[in-house]
Amino acid sequence: MKFASSISVNRRTVLKTLAGAGAMLATSPGFAKAQARVFDIKAVSRILEVKGKPAKVFGLEVDGGLGGLVTRYGPPFRALVTNQLTEDTLIHWHGLTPPHNMDGVPMLSGPVLNAGEAREFAFENSRTGTHWMHSHVGLQEQQLLAAPLIVQEAGDALVDEQEQVVMLHDFTFRDPQEILAELQAGGGLHAGHQTAGSHKMPDGTIMKSSVGAGAMLSDIAYDAMLANDRTLDDPQVIKAERGGRFRLRIINGAAASNLWIELGEIEGALVAVDGNSIYPVKGRRFPLAIAQRADIRLTLPSGSGAWPIFFHAEGSKLRSGIVLQAGGGEVRKFDAETGLSPPLDLALEAGFKSVYERPEIAVSRTDFLMLTGGGSDYKWGLNGKSSMHDVLFNVRQGERYEIVMHNMTGMAHPMHLHGHYFKVVGVNGQRFDGALRDTVLVPPNMQVAIQFDADNPGTWAFHCHHIYHMNAGMMGAIAYTSAV
């Protein structure tokens, strides 16, 4: 089953279609709660063909399709989530900052959604940008229980462009629980982890790490990379006008794979990260860590042609991609495996500058967070603890906090804070006024400093978004308190 072709549409078509469907709601602050649009979301099992073989995976259907949830900024909306699986689940709204009880994290924000159960989630104040929604139960995210969540700007866009949402996944035919068990046992096909400074590839070759002694780029051997549910053997081809302008909304929904975005012949401009606008950064190659999102604007050449956009897994030969086709451009065959890609780094991070300017507030406190673990027992932790719901820090509403994360392990960790956006303000002691994010990569043996405002009371998850690391202990929480 493939993503619906309607995921690629011209802006004028989007407006016309949504208006016809009654989705163009009033945007005034007093918009009646009862008039909020309700999206019908179902967690389902489905069969997906990968490399000519059928695979049973999960999915999130929105109003009967797999293209994700698309709404506009301003009006409130609701999501009626029905669990049609034979096991429990719960959906996290990654990129939105709802009240704590709507966040979708078991044991922290509410109970799981039992098999056959339905529950409504309400969003009074959505955030514009490229977001996504995914399971926060066990390893279901590895089984593709995720979908895009796009909140478009209110009113007419400043640029007339074609939008294309790209949802990326790493794929394995194996049961994720078996993979985790092998990693915890210190052996098996997927446990290149136990070999310090090297990594076993799916073809059996050993790749030496270039990120330092004892460091490793990946600890899972995947069968394929997917872009909108398709491999590069059969990529999605998006029809475009000659010289057409695009806004690519790219979501790294992979469970355990950091990625490079490779634009090839076309230079693009990165204009938003994690749904938040930045001053444009031009280039042909951009890093995208697990759970991060990137909005890239580009213009196609004026003649006919077909231009591939590749998504290459860090430290791997595997890649996926899409093709932008104009006129009679010939779409040729592309190899799903190529040379090994280098590790992601933070070379661009210090140059990102948020368009949004925060109010001037003094930092109330600086806390240090050690990213720990990763031995042969595959236990990961924060500050030496591997307890999924330990409170790491207490904060008070209305104050600003800085957290300096120090990665003491041999693998990179994409760290995600729920319920808040943070500003990246330092890497290895170099200070800068960076981008607003909800997920930042912390490479091995490096320090990354972030600042966030305590403006959303509750107890919030703070974890590594590599799903196997998280399920093996690299997760904690931040809790609000009234105490001094």
Side-chain angles (χ1 to χ4, degrees):
M1 187 179 294
K2 312 296 185 187
F3 268 33
S5 60
S6 60
I7 202 167
S8 172
V9 290
N10 182 277
R11 180 186 147 271
R12 290 185 294 268
T13 304
V14 170
L15 294 178
K16 181 179 179 180
T17 302
L18 291 181
M24 295 301 294
L25 306 176
T27 58
S28 64
F31 185 80
K33 187 174 182 179
Q35 292 177 280
R37 180 179 177 184
V38 179
F39 291 90
D40 181 25
I41 301 178
K42 292 181 172 62
V44 299
S45 295
R46 58 195 178 105
I47 301 298
L48 183 68
E49 184 179 293
V50 179
K51 300 170 70 173
K53 295 170 57 179
K56 183 179 179 181
V57 299
F58 296 147
L60 286 175
E61 290 185 352
V62 181
D63 294 340
L66 290 168
L69 188 159
V70 180
T71 188
R72 297 188 73 80
Y73 175 74
F77 71 91
R78 298 186 176 194
L80 178 62
V81 181
T82 304
N83 182 7
Q84 293 188 343
L85 306 177
T86 58
E87 58 189 78
D88 298 342
T89 193
L90 194 61
I91 304 305
H92 168 54
W93 315 91
H94 193 128
L96 302 187
T97 54
H100 173 252
N101 62 349
M102 293 283 118
D103 191 46
V105 179
M107 298 180 65
L108 286 181
S109 62
V112 295
L113 194 63
N114 297 318
E117 184 182 358
R119 189 179 306 160
E120 189 173 83
F121 296 80
F123 302 93
E124 297 301 315
N125 297 294
S126 59
R127 300 181 65 105
T128 60
T130 301
H131 312 304
W132 62 306
M133 47 192 174
H134 61 83
S135 169
H136 222 288
V137 173
L139 300 168
Q140 292 175 344
E141 191 182 319
Q142 178 70 89
Q143 297 166 286
L144 311 194
L145 193 53
L149 197 169
I150 309 300
V151 182
Q152 298 174 328
E153 292 81 1
D156 291 339
L158 296 177
V159 179
D160 188 12
E161 59 193 355
Q162 186 171 340
E163 286 198 359
Q164 175 64 36
V165 179
V166 186
M167 186 80 178
L168 304 172
H169 289 291
D170 41 24
F171 175 82
T172 175
F173 285 105
R174 296 196 57 200
D175 183 340
Q177 293 289 350
E178 292 181 0
I179 296 173
L180 181 58
E182 286 185 358
L183 289 164
Q184 291 172 327
L189 172 64
H190 293 269
H193 168 81
Q194 82 280 2
T195 308
S198 64
H199 172 55
K200 182 185 289 184
M201 301 304 295
D203 61 5
T205 59
I206 299 295
M207 181 193 70
K208 295 295 182 181
S209 172
S210 61
V211 294
M216 177 177 298
L217 300 185
S218 176
D219 49 8
I220 313 294
Y222 282 104
D223 294 298
M225 304 300 297
L226 306 178
N228 289 349
D229 277 356
R230 302 170 79 127
T231 65
L232 200 51
D233 301 318
D234 179 30
Q236 183 180 11
V237 178
I238 295 97
K239 302 291 186 181
E241 298 174 353
R242 295 178 179 88
R245 291 183 291 188
F246 270 89
R247 179 175 184 149
L248 301 180
R249 296 181 179 267
I250 305 169
I251 304 164
N252 187 352
S257 300
N258 297 315
L259 300 163
W260 287 101
I261 302 168
E262 299 173 346
L263 303 182
E265 301 175 29
I266 304 173
E267 183 179 65
L270 181 65
V271 297
V273 295
D274 294 357
N276 294 284
S277 295
I278 61 172
Y279 288 97
V281 176
K282 293 183 178 181
R284 287 182 168 85
R285 193 184 207 200
F286 299 98
L288 190 67
I290 299 164
Q292 290 183 338
R293 288 87 67 209
D295 286 31
I296 297 175
R297 281 199 164 106
L298 56 83
T299 301
L300 297 182
S302 57
S304 295
W307 297 272
I309 308 295
F310 296 119
F311 310 102
H312 197 168
E314 171 192 59
S316 172
K317 297 179 180 180
L318 297 176
R319 61 180 182 171
S320 62
I322 60 172
V323 180
L324 309 180
Q325 182 190 44
E330 180 183 359
V331 179
R332 62 185 181 88
K333 293 290 185 180
F334 303 102
D335 292 330
E337 294 191 22
T338 185
L340 296 175
S341 70
L344 263 65
D345 56 42
L346 300 180
L348 287 179
E349 195 72 45
F352 294 158
K353 172 70 174 176
S354 174
V355 171
Y356 170 74
E357 294 186 3
R358 299 183 304 169
E360 292 293 331
I361 302 174
V363 172
S364 296
R365 189 179 75 236
T366 297
D367 289 302
F368 293 88
L369 183 65
M370 303 298 132
L371 314 185
T372 55
S376 60
D377 58 0
Y378 206 73
K379 287 184 178 178
W380 301 89
L382 298 173
N383 289 341
K385 297 181 179 180
S386 295
S387 180
M388 296 285 283
H389 302 98
D390 276 352
V391 173
L392 303 166
F393 313 112
N394 287 298
V395 299
R396 292 192 301 181
Q397 188 170 1
E399 297 188 350
R400 177 169 294 171
Y401 295 88
E402 178 164 323
I403 299 176
V404 179
M405 295 174 284
H406 187 181
N407 186 354
M408 310 292 288
T409 80
M411 291 195 69
H413 301 287
M415 297 301 297
H416 171 48
L417 175 61
H418 286 225
H420 304 76
Y421 276 84
F422 52 74
K423 182 177 279 286
V424 184
V425 296
V427 173
N428 281 355
Q430 176 192 357
R431 303 291 292 191
F432 51 86
D433 187 23
L436 280 178
R437 285 194 174 278
D438 58 41
T439 307
V440 67
L441 187 70
V442 187
N445 306 311
M446 293 187 69
Q447 295 184 21
V448 175
I450 63 173
Q451 291 178 0
F452 73 97
D453 293 338
D455 56 6
N456 197 4
T459 301
W460 299 96
F462 190 21
H463 63 89
C464 174
H465 220 286
H466 183 303
I467 197 169
Y468 296 92
H469 296 176
M470 183 184 75
N471 278 269
M474 193 170 273
M475 176 174 171
I478 288 177
Y480 281 64
T481 179
S482 58
V484 176

